[in-house]
Amino acid sequence: MITLYTFGPYFGLPDGSPFVIKALLLLKFAGLPYKEDRGGFGKAPKGKLPYIDDDGTVVPDSTFIRFHIEKKYGFDFDAGLTPERKVAAWAIEKMCEEHLYWALVATRWLEDANFAKGPTQFFKAVPMPFRPIVQGLIRRKVKKTLKLQGFGCHTRAERDILAIADINALAALIGDKAFLMGEKPCGADATVFAFVASFLTPVFDTPIRTAAERHPNLAAYKDRITRHYFSHLEAEPLPATSAA
């Protein structure tokens, strides 16, 4: 059986990381049995989650997990799509992962109120009085990474403008369809859902969330996939967001 290494559910989402959510959905789309292990971060081959262990074959990175599933199990995530639609789906996926992702990081880690409601939960295992020190170190590292990437060079208002443009594009692309490219999910839906759901969670108060909420089709899209693939979340209340 495949073991998927995850962080676990946070913020009313299947996982705190959109890339782990993507991997979860890819496995579900392919109908492959798997189990989750939430203790693998320290052994992550690339220092990040997700990664899988498939009967001894370790595959890090959500996109390479997809390629592994396609190659080993012969599952075509984009079955039925024209070559042009496959290319479009790939481009949309990369817009989310290489652009919108950085806005998500900035809203959670750079804004004090959102950090207190969200990422502080990741540090509960760190004993006091070391916890604030560790939090500060990690936040400074995240801020430096954002600066080096370029997204962090923008003001908060500028970051929001860029992210909202992405959100509006996703809403227009989905339109009145059930999924991104039609009436059944394709590979890119795993990524698009991960980011739409991550920005719509009520835990974080941001202009990007407000913009997403203006598009009823995005909420319907998120609810549709949640209901079908993560139905257990609908019955669970949002976790407490105390920084204690």
Side-chain angles (χ1 to χ4, degrees):
M1 179 181 289
I2 294 171
T3 299
L4 174 65
Y5 293 90
T6 70
F7 291 105
Y10 286 93
F11 323 133
L13 299 167
D15 196 90
S17 163
F19 295 101
V20 174
I21 296 173
K22 171 187 171 182
L24 285 164
L25 267 179
L26 290 172
L27 290 166
K28 291 176 182 292
F29 287 170
L32 296 174
Y34 68 91
K35 63 180 180 179
E36 290 185 50
D37 187 318
R38 298 171 187 170
F41 181 74
K43 299 178 290 183
K46 295 184 178 181
K48 297 180 178 181
L49 298 183
Y51 66 99
I52 63 170
D53 185 330
D54 186 1
D55 289 330
T57 299
V58 176
V59 184
D61 188 276
S62 60
T63 298
F64 286 104
I65 290 171
R66 171 180 174 167
F67 294 162
H68 173 79
I69 293 170
E70 290 173 330
K71 182 178 181 180
K72 179 173 179 177
Y73 297 96
F75 187 83
D76 185 355
F77 288 99
D78 292 342
L81 297 186
T82 64
E84 292 80 6
R85 283 181 169 265
K86 289 182 180 181
V87 170
W90 177 261
I92 294 163
E93 182 174 339
K94 294 310 153 188
M95 177 187 75
C96 292
E97 295 183 351
E98 306 297 341
H99 191 255
L100 194 53
Y101 167 70
W102 297 107
L104 184 70
V105 172
T107 59
R108 290 184 181 181
W109 288 84
L110 300 190
E111 298 169 21
D112 291 341
N114 286 332
F115 179 79
K117 291 186 291 184
T120 53
Q121 295 185 50
F122 303 150
F123 299 93
K124 287 185 175 180
V126 179
M128 296 294 283
F130 302 106
R131 193 182 306 167
I133 298 171
V134 174
Q135 289 177 350
L137 287 171
I138 299 300
R139 288 188 79 186
R140 285 193 292 274
K141 182 178 179 180
V142 170
K143 186 175 182 179
K144 181 179 179 181
T145 299
L146 279 162
K147 284 274 189 180
L148 290 171
Q149 192 276 337
F151 203 84
C153 296
H154 303 306
T155 65
R156 175 180 174 178
E158 290 170 339
R159 295 195 300 265
D160 289 342
I161 288 170
L162 293 172
I164 289 169
D166 290 346
I167 291 293
N168 291 342
L170 290 175
L173 288 162
I174 293 171
D176 60 0
K177 301 188 296 296
F179 299 99
L180 180 64
M181 289 295 169
E183 296 309 304
K184 66 177 186 177
C186 66
D189 279 293
T191 297
V192 173
F193 168 81
F195 282 92
V196 168
S198 293
F199 278 110
L200 280 174
T201 179
V203 171
F204 303 105
D205 185 17
T206 72
I208 308 167
R209 172 186 151 199
T210 300
E213 290 173 338
R214 294 194 186 105
H215 298 288
N217 68 328
L218 289 183
Y221 172 84
K222 184 263 295 182
D223 291 343
R224 187 177 305 115
I225 293 178
T226 300
R227 188 165 50 247
H228 191 80
Y229 295 101
F230 302 108
S231 58
H232 63 285
L233 292 176
E234 296 186 316
E236 295 179 1
L238 284 173
T241 57
S242 169

